[in-house]
Amino acid sequence: MSSHGRALPGEPDEPAETNMAAADRPGALPTVDFAVDLSSHELLRRAHVLDALGSDWDPLAALSGEEAAYELLYSGLSADQQRVYDELVSAGVLPRRGDGHAAA
């Protein structure tokens, strides 16, 4: 029994009718299968994303630019910043880059 004095589902002192499936309970409404197919919406969403990126979008160049930005972000750290960076890498918060130390 729960701490509030009520029986939890499946406990012996719970009324038998509560253990019944919802459709088998007295006065239960019939169930209806409900399904939504979002595949056409997903294709439309992807088309809009690619349209927004434009025809000149180069995913390899974008990734390369992102890597360069990370290298710049973690460059020129003070000793204290380097210590925090190393702690974050060892904790798995930041990915290990090169030898695991920020570029000087």
Side-chain angles (χ1 to χ4, degrees), residues 8 10-11 18 23 25-26 69 74 82-83 94 100:
L8 295 173
E11 287 189 342
T18 334
R25 292 186 187 151
Y74 298 116
Q82 184 68 48
R83 180 188 55 77
L94 292 175

Side-chain angles (χ1 to χ4, degrees), residues 7-97:
L8 295 173
E11 287 189 342
D13 51 349
E14 182 179 85
E17 133 180 336
T18 334
N19 288 331
M20 298 166 108
D24 297 333
R25 292 186 187 151
L29 298 173
T31 59
V32 177
D33 286 337
F34 182 74
V36 178
D37 182 9
L38 297 176
S39 56
S40 63
H41 183 269
E42 176 63 14
L43 290 175
L44 180 63
R45 185 195 67 80
R46 288 181 185 185
H48 285 299
V49 168
L50 290 174
D51 187 42
L53 289 172
S55 61
D56 61 339
W57 179 65
D58 181 5
L60 293 177
L63 183 60
S64 175
E66 189 174 320
E67 289 296 322
Y70 275 120
E71 294 300 324
L72 185 59
L73 178 65
Y74 298 116
S75 65
L77 300 179
S78 69
D80 191 43
Q81 291 169 330
Q82 184 68 48
R83 180 188 55 77
V84 171
Y85 173 83
D86 292 337
E87 287 177 9
L88 292 172
V89 167
S90 65
V93 175
L94 292 175
R96 184 168 303 279
R97 298 187 174 281

